[in-house]
């Protein structure tokens, strides 16, 4: 590729690397055409094809041809102590690969290794218009997660996002800020100092090159990264139809566990949390232990949990009670004499055991007979 | 039965009725021996057998032989304008029959017909130590339920229970107070005026005769009535291991829908609600419409709801997108060419449709291939 100057070639280890940096200047995040083309041909040859100008659906890329040169962005990134992370790099976050159009490359600042820090990680997101309650809960959750060794991922926005990062930093934990604009452009400006602190000890990443403005579409695409780069997503406060719910939806659609924090039903910004809990694809989480439990379930946690929970109720029963319970029909009732015949016990023994089982709702009267209880989980 | 004076016989329509009134003086609520004996022999003959004194396990009933005469209680009930409701009466609440040891009879005050009012009913229960938040939410829920024609059932206790009754009364709705002591004994005394108002327009009921004190065991047994007499139970605020959770557990164990109101995770009395939502046997409910939706599902509601929800997502797809979606494997990915072969479309058409499906998370990239997305429910 003739347009590759040697000075830039020295910065990167392969043509693919530089071609991807270039692609991130031409294609908007989430662009399916670019993603398909790179997937089919490789980043360099795909770029060559686009620049040849054969295809009408590539006009949108050629419209940005004037901005093709990736050197200024790479120079700036280097001055900021940053690096370009590409698919195939040990540091590449594998979680992103589930996306239909994964990032072509990541512009990264900060000392944190994205690969290592992603192994146990949780995205904590929510409303920019967070309440004092939401902020307090975010601090508690994010601190607890960070102290447990989870990397806290968020979007560096006002409200919940900012609190999540700040809490992780406060306890010396790991945190990753996923930005919609360039990593040289702290946004929102009110979080400028916080974003600088993330860059100092954690990582800031973006799929758009330095200098890029955070535009509406880029926030939506940024959310798909937050949703898939981590082991799971927790929404602390979110109004119905908010961006944070969109992040949660993308996480769930890609098989990631989703948690939501309950709040007052009178609070507008808890409405989205309650909605997704009701819909059944988010689990109600109330503290960091529950978040760790949720996110640790899916293959990302290094310490897998034991499989099925022990049936305490069954364990607490004696032999007679077990036989009676097993002899009980699940639907229609059966009289004690019949249960006795099935269980191979005498009727008086069965009646007495039924009384004990009934105290625990394991046996239920059904007219003149008895049936098995539908037992909800025990206290605990 | 020689011990039946004619003056009492004139009060009731059958020996069974009077025998049951007597039984409610001898046996504690929920007594399995009494329940079994009455179920096998009928209330009168069972009483005769107990009084003959043949069996050791009947000593506990004979210990109360001095209090056998039901006339003073029935006289008092009559003076209070009340009535004895027995199994077989049109007014008998059928829901109670699912209990292992259902009430032997109900001592009832107030004009409300228990049978009719039970058809669409909801129990709203919770902590005595309710917060201002819990009280506000209870008012909103109970008013909304009462306005929708639901009878509001509760335990007339301080806190959530009292608010539920008061709210139903405020909007002229129907309410039933289930008491642990006699219906002549308002308890707690702080709710004396409220309980009197329930007796004026709603119904107060108890399975223990007038004059009986509310004892610990009677509260637990009272809860099993609250749990089963209504179409479903909603817990507004409850600490972990509270009595209200016990009510909810009994409701769930007997196949009744259970709702719980989320609250601040920092609130002690929302802890039990969050617990049962997390455990999955309570649904998060945030307003009266959601409660009506929940409780109306089980055969108690006169207006059944439509069956399966419409799959909006599917309806929004065009013919090509549907064919591509159906051709996508659910687990491992398939390359567009293969999907095209399965769908009977050309590869370019498939690639374009995959892009559109991917935007909605209906198609997910899986390495070089594509698979079907796990779609969470849509907004709405």
């Amino acid at each position: 590729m003739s347009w590759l100057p040697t000075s830039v070639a020295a910065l990167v280890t392969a043509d693919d690397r530089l071609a991807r940096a270039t692609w991130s200047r031409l294609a908007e995040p989430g662009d399916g055409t670019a993603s398909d083309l790179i997937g089919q041909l490789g980043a360099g040859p795909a770029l060559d094809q686009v620049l040849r100008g054969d295809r009408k659906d590539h006009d949108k890329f050629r419209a940005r041809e004037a901005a093709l040169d990736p050197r200024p962005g790479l120079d700036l990134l280097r001055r900021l102590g940053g690096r370009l992370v590409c698919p195939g790099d040990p540091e590449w976050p594998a979680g992103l690969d589930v996306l239909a159009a994964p990032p072509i490359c990541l512009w990264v600042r900060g000392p944190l290794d994205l690969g290592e820090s992603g192994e146990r990680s949780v995205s904590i997101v929510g409303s920019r218009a967070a309440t004092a309650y939401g902020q307090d809960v975010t601090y508690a959750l994010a601190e607890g997660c960070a102290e447990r060794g989870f990397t806290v991922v968020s979007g560096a926005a006002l409200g919940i996002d900012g609190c999540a990062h700040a809490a992780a930093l406060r306890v010396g934990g790991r945190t990753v800020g996923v930005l919609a604009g360039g990593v040289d452009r702290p946004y929102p400006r009110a979080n400028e100092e916080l974003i600088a602190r993330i860059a100092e000890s954690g990582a800031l990443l973006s799929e758009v090159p330095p200098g890029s403005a955070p535009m509406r579409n880029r926030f939506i695409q940024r959310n798909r990264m937050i949703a898939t780069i981590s082991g799971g997503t927790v929404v602390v406060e979110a109004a119905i139809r908010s961006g944070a719910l969109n992040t949660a939806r993308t996480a769930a659609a890609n098989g990631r566990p989703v948690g939501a924090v309950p709040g007052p039903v009178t609070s507008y910004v808890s409405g989205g949390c309650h909605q997704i809990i009701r819909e059944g694809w988010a689990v109600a989480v109330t503290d960091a232990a529950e978040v760790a439990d949720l996110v640790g379930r899916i293959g990302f946690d290094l310490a897998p949990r034991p499989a099925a929970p022990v049936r305490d109720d069954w364990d607490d029963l004696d032999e007679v009670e077990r036989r009676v319970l097993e002899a009980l029909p699940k639907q229609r009732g059966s009289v004690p004499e019949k249960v006795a015949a099935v269980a191979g016990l005498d009727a008086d023994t069965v009646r007495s055991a039924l009384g004990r089982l009934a105290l625990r709702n394991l046996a239920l009267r059904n007219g003149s007979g008895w049936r098995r209880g539908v037992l909800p989980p025990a206290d605990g």
Side-chain angles (χ1 to χ4, degrees), chain A residues 288-313:
Chain A
E290 291 175 358
V291 172
D293 185 56
L294 176 76
V295 177
R297 271 186 208 152
I298 293 279
F300 286 75
D301 201 336
L302 298 174
R305 298 173 56 79
V310 178
R311 281 292 305 269
D312 287 327
D313 298 293

Side-chain angles (χ1 to χ4, degrees), chain A residues 286-354:
Chain A
T286 67
D287 60 24
E290 291 175 358
V291 172
D293 185 56
L294 176 76
V295 177
R297 271 186 208 152
I298 293 279
F300 286 75
D301 201 336
L302 298 174
R305 298 173 56 79
V310 178
R311 281 292 305 269
D312 287 327
D313 298 293
W314 183 258
D315 290 349
D316 288 349
L317 301 179
D318 67 32
E319 184 53 32
V320 167
E321 290 161 350
R322 289 183 187 185
R323 279 164 68 184
V324 171
L325 188 57
E326 289 188 312
L328 280 180
K330 280 182 192 164
Q331 305 256 328
R332 261 166 294 186
S334 185
V335 293
E337 289 71 18
K338 230 177 205 166
V339 177
V342 173
L345 297 164
D346 68 83
D348 274 350
T349 305
V350 166
R351 258 189 285 272
S352 150
L354 283 171

Side-chain angles (χ1 to χ4, degrees), chain A residues 5-365:
Chain A
T6 48
S7 65
V8 173
L11 253 183
V12 295
T13 57
D15 285 356
D16 180 70
R17 215 165 188 69
L18 198 50
R20 285 180 177 272
T22 306
W23 263 114
S24 81
R25 301 185 67 82
L26 299 189
E28 276 301 306
D31 187 286
T33 312
S35 183
D36 283 353
L37 207 60
I38 294 169
Q40 286 158 33
L41 306 176
L47 201 51
D48 287 341
Q49 186 182 93
V50 162
L51 296 176
R52 273 203 305 274
D54 304 340
R55 284 175 53 173
K56 188 118 195 80
D57 62 335
H58 294 165
D59 285 354
K60 60 181 172 183
F61 305 131
R62 278 192 306 276
R64 289 184 172 172
E65 212 172 331
L68 199 63
D69 188 352
R71 285 175 303 174
L74 289 166
D75 285 347
L76 179 52
L77 187 70
R78 189 180 46 176
R79 283 199 303 277
L80 293 169
R83 62 202 181 276
L84 194 74
V85 175
C86 294
D89 282 342
E91 197 185 350
W92 179 257
L96 296 176
D97 293 334
V98 301
L99 290 167
I104 296 169
C105 60
L106 295 173
W107 302 78
V108 183
R109 284 177 70 184
L112 199 63
D113 181 291
L114 295 182
E116 190 194 313
S117 66
E119 277 168 13
R120 295 180 78 227
S121 56
V122 59
S123 297
I124 300 180
V125 298
S127 179
R128 279 167 295 168
T131 66
Y133 165 71
Q135 294 179 34
D136 286 350
V137 174
T138 305
Y139 266 97
L141 290 188
E143 281 191 8
C145 287
E147 283 169 346
R148 283 169 172 80
F150 283 85
T151 301
V152 173
V153 177
S154 197
L158 293 177
I160 302 299
D161 285 24
C163 290
H165 292 299
L169 290 170
R170 189 159 74 178
V171 295
R174 302 195 282 198
T175 192
V176 171
V178 184
L179 305 184
V183 291
D184 62 322
R185 280 197 159 205
Y187 181 91
R189 298 307 294 234
N191 278 355
E192 187 164 3
E193 198 208 316
L194 173 68
I195 293 171
R197 284 167 54 218
I198 299 172
E200 265 167 43
S201 72
L204 287 180
L205 63 87
S206 175
E207 52 183 329
V208 294
S212 306
M215 298 187 303
R216 189 177 150 70
N217 175 62
R218 290 175 180 168
F219 280 104
I220 297 169
Q221 298 297 337
R222 184 272 306 266
N223 288 349
R224 89 193 195 292
M225 292 204 286
I226 293 176
T228 54
I229 202 171
S230 66
T233 293
V234 171
V235 187
V236 181
E237 283 188 323
I240 288 170
R241 299 182 199 288
S242 71
L245 284 203
N246 175 270
T247 304
R249 209 175 291 282
T250 303
N254 287 285
R256 303 289 193 280
V258 173
V261 175
V265 298
T266 45
S267 168
Y268 180 71
V269 287
S270 285
C273 293
H274 296 150
Q275 184 191 35
I276 67 180
I277 291 168
R278 276 178 60 76
E279 289 177 349
W281 54 273
V283 174
V285 289
T286 67
D287 60 24
E290 291 175 358
V291 172
D293 185 56
L294 176 76
V295 177
R297 271 186 208 152
I298 293 279
F300 286 75
D301 201 336
L302 298 174
R305 298 173 56 79
V310 178
R311 281 292 305 269
D312 287 327
D313 298 293
W314 183 258
D315 290 349
D316 288 349
L317 301 179
D318 67 32
E319 184 53 32
V320 167
E321 290 161 350
R322 289 183 187 185
R323 279 164 68 184
V324 171
L325 188 57
E326 289 188 312
L328 280 180
K330 280 182 192 164
Q331 305 256 328
R332 261 166 294 186
S334 185
V335 293
E337 289 71 18
K338 230 177 205 166
V339 177
V342 173
L345 297 164
D346 68 83
D348 274 350
T349 305
V350 166
R351 258 189 285 272
S352 150
L354 283 171
R356 296 194 301 277
L357 292 170
L359 281 177
R360 308 173 62 180
N361 283 319
L362 290 168
L364 301 173
R365 189 185 285 277

